[in-house]
Amino acid sequence: MVGLQGYLVVSAILFGIGAFGFMARRNAILMLISIELMLNSVNLSLVAFNAYIPAAHNAGAVFALIVMAVAAAEATVGLALVIAIIRTRQTPEVDEYHDLKE
Amino acid sequence: MLAIGVVGGGLAVVTLRNVIHSAIAMMICFGALAGMYALLGAPIIAAAQVLIYLGAISVLILFAIMLTQAGDANLPAPFHRQAPIALLIALVVVALVSWAAVTTNWHASADAVRVVVETLANALFTTYALPFEIIGFLILAAIIGAIFIARRPEEDERAG
């Protein structure tokens, strides 16, 4: 089981955990953390492909670095949005944000 | 062993009630992932993981939690009503992706190939120079956007 497929299965499990956390948790910051988990699982699969498939020519490692940079940008903007929303609504629980519905 | 750290840390992130504990579990998960990158022969990715995720994003998230949490006296229920459906969907996704990963013939080599930092840097600045420039611009836009969004309205008026 160790080898490329083992890493891919771990990556799939981590992605599932992140997707579950994003859909099920009520806290806005935890939803952002779950997005980070999903991005990390994709990074793990990219690095695993890069390591075990020689024809990749380092593309996986370069993509992993780019995904990290984009994830950092996403976390910055996402946390700024969450803090701005929490400042006006006084709660981090996402199901109490219903202004757009009214 | 590292896989246990990754999966256990991830599970702790989504199940713990206290958000601070979730953030600590996230740091454990990211640390174990850095170890996996080193094991896969990509120490430069492991170093970037430690710097960006363990160093920057974790601290950013901890700051956001400490700025926003009112106190942990009465923690609300952590999950939505749709949690069972979410669990079902996540399990289906895991099962499908794992099945695809295990049954496909990837033509993989038996051992992990090490990433040579010099060739990686050459690829990043020659073949992938355009994506590199684009993410630089994206990060600049993200910084400006974050400052603009997180600014308090009264500072606007003071600035004129």
Side-chain angles (χ1 to χ4, degrees):
Chain A
M1 217 28 208
V2 184
L4 175 59
Q5 291 168 346
Y7 286 104
L8 289 182
V9 169
V10 172
S11 160
I13 294 172
L14 191 61
F15 189 91
I17 292 171
F20 169 71
F22 183 75
M23 289 185 282
R25 289 300 293 243
R26 295 171 67 227
N27 193 305
I29 293 174
L30 254 157
M31 292 171 69
L32 278 175
I33 294 179
S34 300
I35 296 175
E36 297 297 326
L37 284 184
M38 287 192 275
L39 286 164
N40 266 289
S41 78
V42 173
N43 255 352
L44 176 61
S45 70
L46 280 174
V47 175
F49 277 128
N50 184 62
Y52 281 98
I53 298 183
H57 293 304
N58 281 333
V62 174
F63 285 177
L65 284 175
I66 291 175
V67 168
M68 276 185 194
V70 174
E74 172 265 327
T76 314
V77 178
L79 283 172
L81 274 173
V82 167
I83 288 178
I85 294 173
I86 289 173
R87 200 183 283 147
T88 54
R89 314 280 338 141
Q90 301 297 330
T91 173
E93 309 295 322
V94 283
D95 39 8
E96 309 203 359
Y97 304 153
H98 40 60
D99 279 13
L100 287 180
K101 214 162 62 179
E102 286 162 2
Chain B
M1 185 64 205
L2 285 169
I4 295 171
V6 170
V7 174
L11 275 178
V13 167
V14 294
T15 51
L16 287 177
R17 286 178 78 88
N18 195 328
V19 190
I20 294 269
H21 297 168
S22 291
I24 304 291
M26 179 194 73
M27 292 177 79
I28 293 171
C29 178
F30 287 173
L33 267 173
M36 284 185 110
Y37 294 153
L39 208 63
L40 278 164
I44 184 71
I45 308 286
Q49 170 89 2
V50 170
L51 279 175
I52 296 176
Y53 279 105
L54 277 177
I57 291 183
S58 297
V59 172
L60 201 64
I61 286 175
L62 280 173
F63 259 109
I65 292 170
M66 288 172 186
L67 279 174
T68 55
Q69 273 342 64
D72 49 0
N74 46 351
L75 290 169
F79 293 118
H80 276 301
R81 285 188 313 278
Q82 73 249 29
I85 310 169
L87 182 64
L88 183 71
I89 295 173
L91 282 177
V92 168
V93 168
V94 171
L96 275 177
V97 176
S98 305
W99 174 75
V102 170
T103 53
T104 310
N105 181 15
W106 295 107
H107 302 288
S109 56
D111 289 317
V113 185
R114 293 191 66 81
V115 174
V116 184
V117 179
E118 200 180 339
T119 53
L120 178 67
N122 270 326
L124 189 59
F125 285 107
T126 55
T127 319
Y128 302 100
L130 181 63
F132 184 78
E133 299 292 335
I134 291 173
I135 56 167
F137 192 75
L138 174 75
I139 289 177
L140 177 66
I143 292 170
I144 296 172
I147 293 171
F148 181 75
I149 293 168
R151 189 172 52 177
R152 285 174 193 277
E154 56 262 33
E155 287 173 16
D156 270 353
E157 292 153 21
R158 225 183 302 144

